[in-house]
Amino acid sequence: MTDELIVRREGAVGRLTLNRPAALGALTLGMCQAMTAALLEWRGDPAIKLVLIDHEGPRGFCAGGDIRMLADSAAAGAAKAFEFFHTEYRLNHLLAVYETPIATVMDGVTMGGGVGISLPADYRIATERTRLAMPETGIGLFPDVGAGWFLPRLHGRTGVWMVLTGARLATADCELLGLATDVVAAERLPEIKAAFAREPEAIEAILTEFEVDPGRAPIAAHRDEIDRLFAGDNVEAVVATLEADGSDWALAQLEAMRPKSPISSKVSFRLLSGLEPATIADDFVTEYRVARRQVMTHDFAEGVRAVIVDKDNAPAWSPPSLEGVSEAMVDAIFAPLPAGEEWTPLPGL
């Protein structure tokens, strides 16, 4: 046990429990390092039949990364921020290629880095409290932790809609889109986890036994609209289509998009629409390039100030409009890093 992460074996289950309830499970460098070390220790161990990732506290699984640390590091040269991204993406990649089945319990708030340690899992377990989002454009960052691999694989233009608006998905939305594989009642999680520990190889039968109906997904009524209205070749085209449509739902999406960082919106759009990585590792190479540059921008510092520090929710973005963000500016953010500085997977992966 550490202050931030509880690592233990329960029978044939290796269990990783995020232990920062006051911070909604936000990931630190130490947590990523400890999770990676445990996973490497358990990898190939025939005594471990299942890895379970969960959290302490009732409010949320994981709200993302340690944003204040990233901002402080960026102001001091960003060495720690770069190390965090490199380490976090190695953890995300390890989870994606892990041979032993993984179950993640996405109970409550699941955002950013929390999504990154959820989507690679074989079993993604939601509850009625699950709220999943990738809201990074609101603080001058971009959807990372594998978003460039996973979100374009969602139905139609759902991934683009999610990142441009910062939409929060309800439990039924997560199941409909395949982001969650199973839905259970939060109050029964202790029973479910105990059942995993007793018989980890029966996880599918256990989840079937405890499965509940989350009801109709709110997004279901808007899937056609999302595909039609977010089909443009760039963010400006999406905005123009929404304005021309003029429906209440379209105008609500515009209102959600307007407070976001223009450069973050364009970077996020390209990540999800303009690239086709051959492997998830290739996606992490790209995301690491973007992360290193985005964390050093004015918009990230300003987003943290406006949303997290001063909480005035009035960021002064630079450039202040989509039209001010040139293709050359976006190209520079995606450009290769100097030799020896690119992201690499863990040795042997």
Side-chain angles (χ1 to χ4, degrees), residues 188-260:
R188 304 201 71 182
L189 283 174
E191 296 175 70
I192 294 168
K193 294 174 187 179
F196 290 167
R198 287 193 303 270
E199 201 173 1
E201 291 176 291
I203 182 170
E204 292 189 13
I206 294 167
L207 288 170
T208 298
E209 176 187 349
F210 284 92
E211 187 174 8
V212 299
D213 182 358
R216 182 168 172 78
I219 195 178
H222 302 291
R223 297 182 85 177
D224 291 343
E225 288 171 286
I226 288 171
D227 291 347
R228 175 172 57 85
L229 298 174
F230 286 80
D233 292 334
N234 52 51
V235 184
E236 292 94 329
V238 170
V239 169
T241 302
L242 290 168
E243 289 175 339
D245 181 90
S247 66
D248 289 347
W249 190 84
L251 295 178
Q253 308 320 299
L254 272 177
E255 285 303 305
M257 290 172 61
R258 284 197 174 105
K260 314 303 185 190

